[in-house]
Amino acid sequence: MATEYFLRMGDGQKIFMTKEDILADIEAGCADAADLGDIPALSEDEMDHMLDIITAPGRIVGVEPGLEVPVTHDIGAIRIDGDQGNSGVGIPASRLVGSMVHERAFGADTMELGHIDYSFKPVKPVISQEQQTMEVCQQNMVIPMLYGAMPNMGLYYTPDGPFENPGDLMKAFKISEAQDSIQHAGDHGIRDMVWIMQKLQKVGSDGVNFDTIGAAGDGDMYASLNAIEQLRKEFPNMYINAGMAGELVLGMHGDLEYDGTRLAGLWPHEQVLLAEKAGANTFGPVCNTNTSKTSAWNMGRSVTFTKAAVEASNIPCHADMGMGVGGIPMLETPPIDAVTRASKAIVEIAGVDGI
Amino acid sequence: MGKRWGICLSASAPTTLSIFYKSLWDCHRIVFKGGFKTTNEELFKTLSDAVVSCKKDNVIAAVEKAKGQAPAVELIDNGLAAGMNEVGVLFERGKLFLPHVMMAADAMSAGVEMLQDELASGEGASTKLGVIVNGTVEGDVHDIGKAIVSTMLQAAGFEVHDIGRDVPVQNFIDKIKETNADMVGLSALMTTTLQGQKEVIELLKENGMRDSIKVMVGGAPATDAWAKKCGADCYAENASEAVAKAKELLL
């Protein structure tokens, strides 16, 4: 009987597979990405290396010495305190304490301050509190401290915002009205994001992390890229990370462009070029996990997309690795065996500059 | 032409030849198109491409040009509907998106509308294959897929009564009685509204009508297994399959 190895499904379920079956899944995931993105598949050596990583005997794995990369943590400031199903550990601690624990105990290379809602729009009414907390963090910490939030353009549409919901308009065949609504929401979002970061830069923020760009489709990316462009002009030395929401920019508008390039339908290796053009310092490629596929399939797909982005990019790529992205199972607190294997593969095979 | 020929000669002989032959072929196609009737394959391709362009003007122009050159049913089935299928494939692959699909569907509807007269007077118009009531169940506002199915059924020779979207259960019963329908098509795009298909079937039973009518279900969450479970006669995955299944059950 062939030896079987322990791995995961995309939903976290434990499974056992033979080496041949694991390799077949790696190849299939890789081929899917290559087909969709029109990008090169991984080489046989790279797929064999991924197989070695997945079948390594230890519960956790790590990169080879010398291949270590900078590591940071989104919204880590509330990760210690939070305990409402958001992967926090429920230890009463301020956001300052949370950030300092990450800096001094966990070895984070940068950190970010995040609001409990983690979207830009709801920060507006509490901007003074965010400014005060950012200032205190900057006074107590050494590592770069950014401000992080999601563009989350969904909050600008009814019933949460002032603009008519494009989903409702689309259903009624009011296509141009839906596109106008997305455009207006995008323009409003640009103003909000720039205004919020102007306030935080005043109190010494080292920069901003745009987290989950494109979550609400191409309007979301349109707003983010334009906000990045404006911030770069106003703050030449500000540190800007453009982190994506998924491997594909969905076309809710369909025809929005940035610098002459249509945003809908862009894959990571195309997204990074626009982030760079807008003025981002680093780019966060993302590949969503398919919960019905194995971690071998998901890692094959994720690493293929990410490697193409790294090769196309002139700025450092810091891959988003966590629940439901990067080949890691979709669990609130993902299992460490899967997290370390996907992370090792994304560094050693895709060649990312950070996580 | 002469200038390009000269440049090519001095640059690369193979390239020159390929361009020359391509030019000859282009000329041949132009003459062929101008002097003779365009082939059906070209007609269908033009219609299909027009739908894929997602522009209503293109579709209207293509249908205007194609009218009378092939039966309306074929223009719809092999041209417009084929284009809509291509739009679906491009949507799946992240090349086209929701607004484009909506625009393509809208453009296709305009094209079909232009062929209505021919459909009514064409082959199959005098011999109705059957009467079908088609609608999207209550609580579900999705219309496009069901509308395409209605069009295709009509194009195939069925008398179709499309009663729209978000249709109350009783309205299906009333329309079936009114038209003495042979089949009812029930569409649902959401898992939450799928149950509505079963409710219509149950009401048909309560009214003693179930044995005299065939029931077809469709929509993204529907499956063959669901069709069996809810008591439908068949499940159709797309418009073409809906026509095939309807013919299978009614003829």
Side-chain angles (χ1 to χ4, degrees):
Chain A
M1 186 179 160
T3 305
E4 291 193 328
Y5 298 84
F6 157 66
L7 65 163
R8 304 266 178 181
M9 289 298 290
D11 63 1
Q13 182 195 352
K14 284 183 180 178
I15 53 169
F16 292 87
M17 294 170 73
T18 64
K19 265 193 178 181
E20 289 71 27
D21 288 345
I22 294 172
L23 188 59
D25 262 16
I26 292 172
E27 286 170 353
C30 174
D32 188 61
D35 174 43
L36 286 171
D38 196 17
I39 52 177
L42 298 179
S43 68
E44 281 187 24
D45 285 350
E46 288 167 332
M47 285 194 264
D48 284 342
H49 185 34
M50 189 177 290
L51 178 66
D52 290 341
I53 292 171
I54 292 172
T55 58
R59 181 163 171 259
I60 62 171
V61 298
V63 297
E64 292 170 21
L67 295 179
E68 298 90 343
V69 296
V71 176
T72 187
H73 202 308
D74 67 329
I75 209 171
I78 60 169
R79 194 67 74 203
I80 304 298
D81 180 57
D83 190 23
Q84 297 86 37
N86 61 354
S87 77
V89 290
I91 301 170
S94 67
R95 288 192 285 172
L96 169 64
V97 171
S99 298
M100 291 181 74
V101 167
H102 276 79
E103 178 191 52
R104 299 180 189 190
F106 298 163
D109 295 296
T110 75
M111 271 304 286
E112 68 170 30
L113 179 67
H115 180 248
I116 184 71
D117 188 273
Y118 203 49
S119 299
F120 274 105
K121 189 184 162 204
V123 173
K124 286 194 294 179
V126 294
I127 188 67
S128 300
Q129 185 182 16
E130 297 305 276
Q131 284 181 291
Q132 187 178 341
T133 310
M134 173 59 82
E135 187 168 12
V136 174
C137 287
Q138 292 290 350
Q139 286 166 345
N140 284 277
M141 295 173 64
V142 176
I143 60 174
M145 187 72 177
L146 314 182
Y147 192 79
M150 302 185 293
N152 199 359
M153 298 308 295
L155 292 181
Y156 289 84
Y157 304 126
T158 51
D160 300 310
F163 300 103
E164 206 163 346
N165 197 308
D168 294 338
L169 290 167
M170 206 78 81
K171 278 189 291 193
F173 272 93
K174 295 180 178 175
I175 298 163
S176 60
E177 288 92 333
Q179 290 176 320
D180 287 347
S181 189
I182 292 169
Q183 173 93 52
H184 292 150
D187 292 335
H188 208 88
I190 295 167
R191 285 198 297 275
D192 284 354
M193 290 188 278
V194 169
W195 182 81
I196 287 163
M197 286 317 302
Q198 285 169 336
K199 294 283 185 186
L200 287 156
Q201 290 301 106
K202 277 185 187 169
V203 295
S205 171
D206 291 303
V208 58
N209 172 30
F210 287 88
D211 195 323
T212 68
I213 292 174
D218 48 354
D220 201 290
M221 191 173 190
Y222 161 82
S224 303
L225 291 174
N226 280 286
I228 290 170
E229 183 183 305
Q230 288 186 28
L231 287 167
R232 175 57 65 222
K233 277 183 192 151
E234 189 171 345
F235 305 103
N237 298 318
M238 173 187 200
Y239 191 88
I240 302 175
N241 181 59
M244 299 302 297
E247 66 271 27
L248 176 67
V249 179
L250 293 173
M252 301 309 290
H253 182 291
D255 296 324
L256 281 174
E257 294 184 350
Y258 179 76
D259 200 36
T261 301
R262 192 178 80 152
L263 298 173
L266 294 183
W267 299 98
H269 65 289
E270 298 160 326
Q271 298 160 6
V272 65
L273 301 178
L274 295 189
E276 185 182 334
K277 202 178 276 184
N281 299 90
T282 56
F283 174 71
V286 172
C287 178
N288 289 299
T289 296
N290 184 329
T291 54
S292 301
K293 300 282 189 181
T294 64
S295 50
W297 188 92
N298 280 303
M299 281 171 61
R301 190 171 186 268
S302 166
V303 170
T304 304
F305 271 130
T306 307
K307 183 167 184 278
V310 170
E311 286 175 354
S313 177
N314 295 303
I315 56 175
C317 285
H318 288 206
D320 291 7
M321 303 293 288
M323 61 168 188
V325 292
I328 295 173
M330 182 58 215
L331 287 171
E332 190 62 44
T333 302
I336 198 165
D337 50 83
V339 173
T340 55
R341 278 167 173 76
S343 301
K344 181 176 167 69
I346 212 90
V347 172
E348 292 185 349
I349 302 172
V352 299
D353 306 280
I355 288 180
Chain B
M1 181 69 184
K3 193 175 180 186
R4 186 167 70 177
W5 179 242
I7 290 167
C8 290
L9 269 180
S10 61
S12 153
T15 307
T16 302
L17 285 173
S18 67
I19 289 175
F20 176 66
Y21 285 128
K22 185 178 180 306
S23 300
L24 278 180
W25 175 240
D26 287 345
C27 292
H28 165 75
R29 282 163 62 90
I30 290 163
V31 170
F32 182 78
K33 278 185 176 176
F36 303 96
K37 195 174 179 182
T38 310
T39 65
N40 279 359
E41 286 69 26
E42 284 174 324
L43 267 185
F44 300 148
K45 177 79 167 50
T46 305
L47 289 166
S48 172
D49 288 348
V51 173
V52 174
S53 78
C54 307
K55 290 178 178 159
K56 196 187 274 188
D57 291 349
N58 290 0
V59 171
I60 290 171
V63 172
E64 196 63 55
K65 196 174 167 187
K67 267 174 93 169
Q69 296 199 44
V73 173
E74 288 184 26
L75 294 179
I76 293 172
D77 204 5
N78 300 328
L80 299 175
M84 204 61 213
N85 285 340
E86 176 67 12
V87 167
V89 171
L90 293 169
F91 177 74
E92 289 283 321
R93 295 185 60 78
K95 303 295 182 194
L96 288 180
F97 294 91
L98 188 59
H100 307 120
V101 176
M102 302 290 289
M103 287 188 273
D106 192 34
M108 179 179 164
S109 299
V112 171
E113 185 65 32
M114 291 171 68
L115 296 167
Q116 283 301 330
D117 292 345
E118 284 190 38
L119 279 176
S121 59
E123 189 183 343
S126 55
T127 52
K128 291 277 183 308
L129 301 182
V131 179
I132 300 176
V133 169
N134 204 26
T136 305
V137 298
E138 190 164 16
D140 198 320
V141 296
H142 297 92
D143 197 54
I144 302 171
K146 181 265 305 164
I148 293 171
V149 168
S150 291
T151 301
M152 291 293 284
L153 288 169
Q154 193 174 351
F158 292 95
E159 179 184 320
V160 181
H161 298 270
D162 189 328
I163 53 174
R165 57 185 187 170
D166 192 12
V167 179
V169 182
Q170 186 60 44
N171 289 18
F172 280 98
I173 307 299
D174 295 344
K175 196 68 182 177
I176 291 165
K177 282 181 183 168
E178 179 194 325
T179 59
N180 195 23
D182 304 299
M183 174 180 265
V184 60
L186 306 171
S187 174
L189 194 78
M190 302 184 291
T191 51
T192 48
T193 55
L194 197 60
Q195 194 64 22
Q197 297 179 335
K198 193 176 180 186
E199 287 170 15
V200 175
I201 294 170
E202 293 302 320
L203 200 57
L204 283 170
K205 287 180 187 169
E206 283 177 28
N207 283 270
M209 300 161 65
R210 181 64 187 92
D211 293 338
S212 59
I213 191 163
K214 302 294 182 187
V215 180
M216 181 191 289
V217 294
T223 59
D224 266 325
W226 165 250
K228 287 188 182 77
K229 190 176 174 184
C230 71
D233 293 297
C234 72
Y235 155 74
E237 189 178 357
N238 53 47
S240 301
E241 197 174 299
V243 172
K245 294 273 178 80
K247 285 180 175 174
E248 201 175 291
L249 286 170
L250 298 182
L251 301 184

